[in-house]
Amino acid sequence: MQHIQSYIEEHKDRFLNELIELLKIPSVSADPAFKEHVFKTADIIKQSLLKAGCDHVEVCETEGFPIVYGEKIIDTELPTVLVYGHYDVQPADPLELWHSPPYEPVIKKTDIHPEGAIFARGACDDKGQMYMHVKAMEFMTSTNQLPCNVKFMIEGEEEVGSVNLSKFVKTNQEKLKNDVILISDTGMIAKDVPSITTGLRGLSYVEVEVTGPNRDLHSGLYGGAVANPINIITKMIASLHDENNRITISGFYDKVEELSKKERAEMAKAPFSLENYKKALDIDAVYGEEGYTTNERNSIRPTLDVNGIWGGYTGEGAKTVIASQAFAKISMRLVPHQDWEEITQLFKTHFESIAPKGVRVKVTPHHGGQGYVTPIDSIGYKAASKAYHDTFGKTPIPQRSGGSIPIVSLFEQELKSKTILMGFGLNSDAIHSPNEHFGVWNYIKGIETIPLFYKYFTELKH
Ligand code: BES
Ligand code: MN
Ligand code: MN
């Protein structure tokens, strides 16, 4: 029987080239201008799943972008792994900050990736990581080493909130029945520090609008005498954190899970260099909630951040004007037990209540999702841990991530199964940013590790 290493050796160039072809298609789900490309990507995923050995693959239409579903059922008595991933990507803007065009993938060496990294939008999030699963499947089927049943569900709307996937999951419970869900759409601590993600944060995303006078005004004639919506919105936003950087919305922390000293001590064991962290971001100090470390602030603590703010004159030169309106987009990252809809409501009530006389405030909720946390004593976790141990020579560290994949908590609710998050990306891979990339080493390591998960999961389950 052929071993994974020799299979990879033989097919590595093709594995890279296939991913590069996939990355050339701008499957941006957020922008309607890319619609055709998103649909085309779904078809390519379908073909790749068929080639990888799925017996049955369908492109399931939704009200938005399709969900590609594929399966290979070898024996209904055996366990079933459901692989989830997404083929849509974030917009590439701002384009001028890319060193090479986002949809013309190139392999370049970096300090962290001396073997080279593929630079393209979606390289890591999530085309590259999703495609590792397709290639791991190809290896297992073509060498007769698939130990259990497999289902693939690859969607095209993750970056815009997975609204249609939620409906699909709710109405296709039988089809999606599984023993464990496997996802590679997160990261790991470092190339020599394998980790398994055990938590994701929830999300509440809102847009706020502050309206003052019924038209833009001359800032000399009216300045000082009417409320300036930009002055007001910035003041309101500033008041959302207190002097300890805690969020001031009443009730916001009510359901936040406080970790025990022991759990926090466990977390603190993960290797982390504050100096390197600051250096990588070119900052002279970190910032955040009093009483928590950097790793705690970005994983077990909830946050509130302005993602965008606009209004008034931002063109060349100076225009003296008081804008009629000001806007901001605000996200709140939530932790397990905080309910995103409840938090959205608390935000709305609070934000409206702090508006001074002279302006009107409108809060529009966008998408959201619940957080997730998974135990480290499940069969799935143990199988993943053994798989990493084999390929990295070290036991992986459990790590809670600050990012969100809202569909994961819905999987648990609707399909009653736990998700194992085997991420192979690095924080420095610049997902959602210009010059996103994915290490060739990481891509290959993923392909190498995934089949072992299947093997150990099947063994432990039996
Ligand atoms: N893959 C990311 C989430 C992620 C990245 C989790 C790294 C953990 C580590 C996913 O594609 C994503 O970007 N999610 C969005 C939320 C979504 C509703 C738009 C996020 O976290 O902002
Ligand atoms: Mn992703
Ligand atoms: Mn993303």
Side-chain angles (χ1 to χ4, degrees):
M1 224 181 324
Q2 193 175 10
H3 198 264
I4 182 74
Q5 263 94 15
S6 76
Y7 191 86
I8 287 175
E9 209 43 59
E10 202 175 307
H11 300 278
K12 188 177 165 189
D13 289 345
R14 179 173 55 82
F15 286 180
L16 282 170
N17 288 333
E18 287 177 14
L19 176 57
I20 284 170
E21 287 309 308
L22 187 62
L23 290 168
K24 285 182 184 168
I25 315 162
S27 50
V28 180
S29 51
D31 184 346
F34 293 86
K35 198 172 162 185
E36 270 172 47
H37 298 289
V38 187
F39 277 98
K40 187 174 162 209
T41 308
D43 275 325
I44 295 177
I45 302 295
K46 175 184 171 173
Q47 296 311 327
S48 71
L49 285 174
L50 283 169
K51 268 198 233 146
C54 283
D55 292 332
H56 163 78
V57 183
E58 51 186 315
V59 173
C60 308
E61 298 300 333
T62 72
E63 276 168 40
F65 294 122
I67 296 154
V68 186
Y69 175 82
E71 62 178 32
K72 186 171 180 74
I73 308 296
I74 54 172
D75 180 349
T76 51
E77 297 292 304
L78 286 168
T80 301
V81 175
L82 173 68
V83 177
Y84 162 83
H86 63 94
Y87 64 82
D88 64 322
V89 299
Q90 283 276 324
D93 335 40
L95 291 175
E96 64 278 12
L97 296 183
W98 285 78
H99 302 314
S100 57
Y103 303 109
E104 292 171 27
V106 285
I107 297 182
K108 280 186 292 192
K109 292 183 172 147
T110 71
D111 288 348
I112 294 178
H113 298 292
E115 307 83 3
I118 310 172
F119 282 76
R121 171 55 87 230
C124 177
D125 184 11
D126 178 41
K127 284 174 174 166
Q129 296 214 66
M130 174 268 292
Y131 209 68
M132 298 180 315
H133 288 269
V134 181
K135 294 299 98 180
M137 172 78 171
E138 174 197 304
F139 162 71
M140 291 185 287
T141 59
S142 65
T143 59
N144 260 313
Q145 297 183 62
L146 181 67
C148 61
N149 306 308
V150 190
K151 294 177 178 177
F152 279 89
M153 179 168 66
I154 314 296
E155 72 153 320
E157 297 187 315
E158 195 277 341
E159 300 291 7
V160 291
S162 303
V163 176
N164 291 298
L165 182 70
S166 303
K167 292 183 203 156
F168 184 80
V169 170
K170 286 179 186 159
T171 51
N172 287 281
Q173 273 149 327
E174 195 47 43
K175 185 191 191 104
L176 301 175
K177 216 169 157 245
N178 65 78
D179 295 281
V180 71
I181 297 170
L182 184 60
I183 303 180
S184 295
D185 192 21
T186 54
M188 59 182 188
I189 295 177
K191 283 165 79 177
D192 57 351
V193 189
S195 58
I196 299 173
T197 303
T198 51
L200 292 164
R201 285 197 286 193
L203 180 71
S204 163
Y205 202 109
V206 297
E207 188 162 330
V208 297
E209 182 185 305
V210 173
T211 307
N214 59 4
R215 59 182 165 88
D216 288 5
L217 302 173
H218 187 289
S219 65
L221 294 181
Y222 290 94
V226 296
N228 176 332
I230 301 177
N231 292 3
I232 301 289
I233 202 172
T234 50
K235 201 166 157 183
M236 288 170 74
I237 289 171
S239 79
L240 297 175
H241 288 97
D242 70 13
E243 65 283 5
N244 294 320
N245 282 315
R246 278 177 70 88
I247 294 151
T248 55
I249 299 169
S250 80
F252 187 86
Y253 290 98
D254 283 1
K255 294 189 178 165
V256 168
E257 168 198 40
E258 291 292 341
L259 266 67
S260 65
K261 270 207 173 112
K262 195 171 158 241
E263 275 176 286
R264 290 177 67 183
E266 271 311 306
M267 273 188 73
K269 285 187 191 159
F272 176 72
S273 154
L274 193 61
E275 279 319 304
N276 291 348
Y277 186 85
K278 290 191 287 191
K279 217 165 109 195
L281 301 177
D282 221 340
I283 50 176
D284 59 5
V286 290
Y287 188 91
E289 189 183 354
E290 209 47 49
Y292 294 92
T293 66
T294 295
N295 277 336
E296 290 172 340
R297 286 169 179 166
N298 66 24
S299 63
I300 59 165
R301 300 301 295 166
T303 58
L304 183 151
D305 278 292
V306 178
N307 294 244
I309 183 162
W310 70 102
Y313 183 71
T314 57
E316 283 292 309
K319 178 187 179 192
T320 49
V321 65
I322 293 172
S324 157
Q325 288 191 301
F327 308 84
K329 288 183 194 277
I330 297 175
S331 69
M332 288 162 278
R333 295 283 170 171
L334 310 175
V335 295
H337 308 318
Q338 280 183 301
D339 177 74
W340 78 271
E341 289 181 275
E342 195 181 320
I343 293 291
T344 304
Q345 196 50 52
L346 287 179
F347 177 91
K348 187 169 156 54
T349 308
H350 179 83
F351 205 72
E352 285 166 356
S353 80
I354 60 172
K357 285 211 171 94
V359 296
R360 279 161 291 149
V361 166
K362 196 169 134 195
V363 176
T364 311
H366 281 274
H367 54 71
Q370 313 295 36
Y372 181 72
V373 54
T374 185
I376 59 169
D377 57 4
S378 69
I379 290 180
Y381 187 91
K382 284 180 189 154
S385 183
K386 279 165 82 76
Y388 279 92
H389 192 272
D390 282 5
T391 52
F392 287 79
K394 288 180 190 171
T395 301
I397 299 173
Q399 184 206 25
R400 290 229 210 166
S401 172
S404 309
I405 311 177
I407 201 71
V408 173
S409 75
L410 192 96
F411 287 157
E412 178 162 45
Q413 189 190 314
E414 297 294 327
L415 306 175
K416 312 276 178 263
S417 41
K418 283 282 176 195
T419 292
I420 302 302
L421 297 153
M422 289 175 66
F424 291 88
L426 298 176
N427 279 353
S428 54
D429 287 345
I431 63 170
H432 293 208
S433 305
N435 307 305
E436 175 177 354
H437 54 280
F438 189 35
V440 171
W441 184 91
N442 301 63
Y443 178 56
I444 298 299
K445 208 68 174 168
I447 300 171
E448 202 182 315
T449 310
I450 291 164
L452 291 163
F453 172 83
Y454 283 73
K455 173 175 175 267
Y456 291 129
F457 185 76
T458 308
E459 283 174 15
L460 290 169
K461 190 84 191 161
H462 253 56

